[in-house]
Amino acid sequence: FEKSLKINLSVLGDNLSDIASMYSRMGIVYHQDNKQSIQLAMTSNLRLLYHKALASQEINDDQQALSYYTQALEQVQSFHETTQDIDQLLYRVFINICDIYIRQYDIALANTYIAKTLQIVHKLQEQDKMAECLDRRGNIKRLQGDYEGALQNYNRSAEIKLKIDLKEGLDISNSYSNVGHIYNDQGRYDDAVSMFEKSLKIKLSELGDNHPDVATTYSNIGHVYDNQGKYDDGLCMFDKSLKIQLSVLSDNHPDIASTYSKMGFLYYHQSKHDDALSMYEKSLKIDLPMLGDNHLKIAATYCNIGLVYDNQGKYDEAVSMYKKSLKISLFVLGDSHPHIATTYNNMGLVYYNQGKYDDSISMHEKSLKIKLSVLGDNHPDIAATYNNMGLVYGAQGRYDDAVSMHEKSLKIKLLLLDANHPNIATAYINIGTIYDSQGKYNDAISMYEKSLKINLVVLGDNHLNIAATYNNMGFVYNAQGKYDDAISMYEKSLKIDFSVLGDNHPSIATTYSNMGRVYKHQGKYDDAISMFEKSLKIDLSVLGDNHPDIATTYSDIGFIYSHQGKYHDATIFYERAANILVDAHSQNHPSLVNIYDNIAICYDKQNRHNEAKAMRQRSNDIRCSLQQADTINQTSTNTIDQTRDKQIQSQQISNSDYNSSDNDNHSHMQQSHDQALKQKQYFNAYLQALQQGSCNNKIIRAMYAGAEFVGKSSIMRVFTKQQLVDHQHPTQIADQSEKMVYLKVYKIKDRTTYNLRQIWDNNVHQIVRSEYQNQIISQQISKGHQKLANQQLPINHPHSSAVKQPATVNQPDKNFTLTSPLSTAISPVDNNLFIQQCRRFFQHYYPSWINQSTDDSQYAKIWDFGGHSIYHVTHQPFLSGNSIYFLVFNINQNIHDKVLTRNNKSLNTTYLQSMQEWLTSIIGGNTNYDKITATIDGDQAEYSLPIVILVASHGDYMKSKQQGIERFIEFERQLRTTMPCYNSNIYSSRIIFDCNPQDNRDVILAEREQCSLRLHEIIKSFVQSLPFMCNPIPIRWYIMATILHTPIDSSESEAVSSFINRIRDSRVHKIMTIQQIQSLATDFGLYESDD
């Protein structure tokens, strides 16, 4: 332009239009050149901001990175239009912001920025960038727990990369890594290692063997090995990773800190607590100067340190770490972030370990609320929280709630994971643990076997999860008395633990302790002590001398010494256990109750009665404090105090009673030689029966249920051949006679009523008679006295406490069940005293056994439940699948009518609703789903347990039998239609009782008897098919029932010996605690087990 202008000016002059046009064109050029210079300057500044953001992002300073990215985006907005270079830069900014929000668990913003990234990708039309977007979408879905969705995105990304010839490049290597992470999440560990090794091969080829990305892949493989329990292999991978990082990165690089953290987690899994803490401290030393005190990575490390302290039993330190983590996370993320939920979860586990169950549930509920709001209903983290709440409910004895939580957890896991995932196996283990606690041992074993089947396929036969399952199965076999099977399981567990963990790990100590308890139950005290000492040696070296597990072992050893008569040594170990629990938990921890009781027994044995009294006072003070914490009112507290005084008195009364036993024995020795010999033979048989005697169950409960004022009591009176009462009073749970429940017992064979205690006495006799017939008379004559002296029947059986651990495969349950005292050895002094007690019971029973024939009859205890809604809460403890129920309704009322009271007032509930409520209570709360086949009137049919027989009252209001039958059928139809799931439990008797007490005509009396006989035949048909009528009942249960049973009739109390009456007067109350029952059973040699 300048050359052209010079010529034109010299030839044409300076005033032509062409000259003006030339100037205009030159002006446009100058303008464009200036604009381009400005844009180049802005682009240069934009790239500078981008690189600053990238540097901050690489050191995990997400807040600073976001600040730089935001400034860059603000500059781009000032551009009138973007070039391809700017779009490329925008793509990188958007995808990097997406990565930050993925790391921060902010799924909504991550999705927002991946959507913006995709808009740029569609504009650029570059396939490699589409693959990167799919990778990010996979990352988001992985974060949401949608592993299959993530896998689809990763695979689509890999397909694109392969199409554009990236087969051997780093991009496809990253795809292999992404798929490896998903396989690791899904528990497909071998597949995960395979993917990471493919990725590693490419990176080694492209980058050499000393690159940070190679180090990252080694770290990923190490993480999988950690999950597999291959700790040595995992540590080898982490060492390789660390060696590369230390050689090519600065000593304070964030990647090195991350590797230290991963190594700390592996050491945590090995229970190498000091090594774990050392790694976390190294990580903190790097991260704190670079990131400051308020960074999420710092919060995560504090959280991991809290896990170690929790595992060490340093609960206060653990909570302190979690609170430091929580403070940072709340500051950075606000109060509704999954990281906050994780910390609440971990604090809940510490409170669980401390026995602070309400605090634990509170933390888990906070965690659950956040997770549900952010992650939705079906996320693995939701499943984990349900699982943890199930653990707490199980520890509280709220077994139905526990099973419900574990089933919710399992449902989510089955939805998200493969059916053979290790987390599914863990869910089965936790459900099995609840069944174990409930005494449902077969169900527990079934769950453990399901877990074992999965883990053997996925993890192989040498994994710690397998060892833990064997341990749990051993625990059940021990509780069942299958001691050889229990030892076999524990030995299998030990073999795996030794190979994986070495010989000095807490899991080894746990198994030694569990084996010690089996030997203890077998009375092999030397073997038990040996096991406990091995356990103690490991725990002291690994956990320190103040861990709750140490207290459990001290308590076990104290128990053994107590049973060996070494009461001084026993006291020392019990006191050590108590001191640890006070330090670790509090002065009012529930576990201290049993320990203090045991110390009191040892003091009594050493004639240190004042100290024993003080120790019982401490125990009772804890009981009271625990009850006050449960908001029990002052009246209940007073009752407890009175009971405590009676307990102390009763022990003194019992001791004075025993001192007179020599005179009683002398009087028996004056009888004829033949009678004395027979009595001695029976007595020996009685002692043998105490140890192992039992007979089949003979009694079933037959319970009348239904709405109030429908005639339950009247039908019961007719059925038991009692006279009807005009204006029958409503059934009351406790009236002025202090009867807790009305019941009658009748023989199913012929409907004759019986005295309940007479039936129990007959059962005791039958057991002893069976033992008597099995003995050889000649051996009894020559060795009778020697046999008596060698009976292994201790007087006391102090129950040890146990500190529960989480019921997961990584932390086997260290609880134990107490065995029968009859299989353990005692000192001669205790033996003599116990024999005197046995003689007392024997002398009560023996006179009624002479010339008594064996009775194989079956009986029914008939109960009349109060129908008033105020009493419904009292019914649940007595509802059982091992019963037959009569659901009574008023045939004269419409099923949709409101229930009428005796005062002719209508309730808000209809008769149908009342019957539905009863069915739900009876059947819905039952966990036994057994079926039976019964034949009634020649018709064979299958029924579900429990059986509910429909019976009607007020037949006197029907104009004809046909009308009554039609109304009965309509009642039945309506009930079955509204509750079809219970159809197999219901039997329609079509029996309609006329219960008008003023109508006693012969024809009416005959009809009532016909109805009773019909109902009786139905009951008999069902009883003959019920499996639990064959369950064995130990003799000790019958004797304990005799002691505890309050006489119903005055005539019954006359038949009871003064000895049992004295026991009842001093030791038995209307309401008794479990501890009081156990103490009573222990003192009279009848204690069997906690269950």
Side-chain angles (χ1 to χ4, degrees), residues 555-773:
S555 184
D556 286 328
I557 294 173
F559 179 91
I560 299 296
Y561 284 144
S562 174
H563 276 60
Q564 289 180 315
K566 300 175 182 177
Y567 300 115
H568 175 71
D569 294 336
T571 302
I572 291 173
F573 278 92
Y574 281 137
E575 287 175 344
R576 288 178 182 175
N579 290 336
I580 291 173
L581 292 176
V582 168
D583 289 342
H585 300 298
S586 69
Q587 293 184 347
N588 289 326
H589 193 270
S591 298
L592 289 166
V593 172
N594 292 333
I595 291 180
Y596 288 151
D597 284 342
N598 291 343
I599 294 174
I601 291 171
C602 291
Y603 282 153
D604 275 333
K605 289 294 184 181
Q606 301 171 77
N607 294 320
R608 298 161 64 181
H609 300 301
N610 289 335
E611 292 169 277
K613 183 176 180 181
M615 197 54 62
R616 287 194 178 92
Q617 183 64 47
R618 291 173 70 177
S619 174
N620 285 325
D621 287 344
I622 295 174
R623 288 189 181 98
C624 290
S625 68
L626 293 173
Q627 289 164 340
Q628 288 168 358
D630 290 335
T631 63
I632 292 184
N633 57 35
Q634 187 61 40
T635 303
S636 300
T637 305
N638 291 338
T639 304
I640 292 165
D641 291 339
Q642 292 167 7
T643 304
R644 181 196 314 145
D645 293 338
K646 288 181 180 179
Q647 273 189 304
I648 296 169
Q649 268 192 331
S650 70
Q651 291 171 356
Q652 296 168 349
I653 291 171
S654 298
N655 288 333
S656 63
D657 187 36
Y658 298 144
N659 291 334
S660 65
S661 61
D662 290 340
N663 295 330
D664 295 329
N665 293 337
H666 180 72
S667 65
H668 284 291
M669 296 299 294
Q670 303 306 312
Q671 297 178 13
S672 67
H673 174 76
D674 291 340
Q675 181 62 30
L677 178 60
K678 187 173 183 179
Q679 182 171 348
K680 180 181 289 187
Q681 293 162 359
Y682 255 95
F683 183 47
N684 287 333
Y686 173 71
L687 291 173
Q688 185 67 23
L690 274 178
Q691 183 167 357
Q692 57 190 20
S694 63
C695 72
N696 289 345
N697 177 36
K698 296 180 178 181
I699 303 177
I700 185 173
R701 280 186 286 189
M703 300 182 166
Y704 284 87
E708 66 176 281
F709 195 42
V710 293
K712 299 185 294 297
S713 299
S714 296
I715 292 178
M716 178 175 167
R717 294 185 72 87
V718 170
F719 186 76
T720 54
K721 301 180 180 180
Q722 299 177 76
Q723 188 172 352
L724 286 171
V725 177
D726 201 5
H727 304 296
Q728 170 81 38
H729 290 293
T731 302
Q732 297 180 358
I733 299 305
D735 60 10
Q736 292 181 349
S737 67
E738 298 184 349
K739 296 175 185 177
M740 298 303 290
V741 66
Y742 286 90
L743 61 85
K744 285 289 180 183
V745 182
Y746 84 105
K747 185 188 289 188
I748 292 176
K749 182 178 180 180
D750 56 12
R751 278 180 67 216
T752 54
T753 57
Y754 267 74
N755 178 299
L756 187 58
R757 188 168 292 114
Q758 181 184 352
I759 298 170
W760 289 333
D761 284 2
N762 289 346
N763 289 337
V764 174
H765 169 259
Q766 183 173 334
I767 298 170
V768 176
R769 183 183 180 89
S770 175
E771 295 294 338
Y772 171 81
Q773 291 172 342

Side-chain angles (χ1 to χ4, degrees), residues 93 119 208 210 321 627 677 816:
V93 170
Q119 291 177 355
N210 207 40
M321 281 294 131
Q627 289 164 340
L677 178 60
F816 58 96

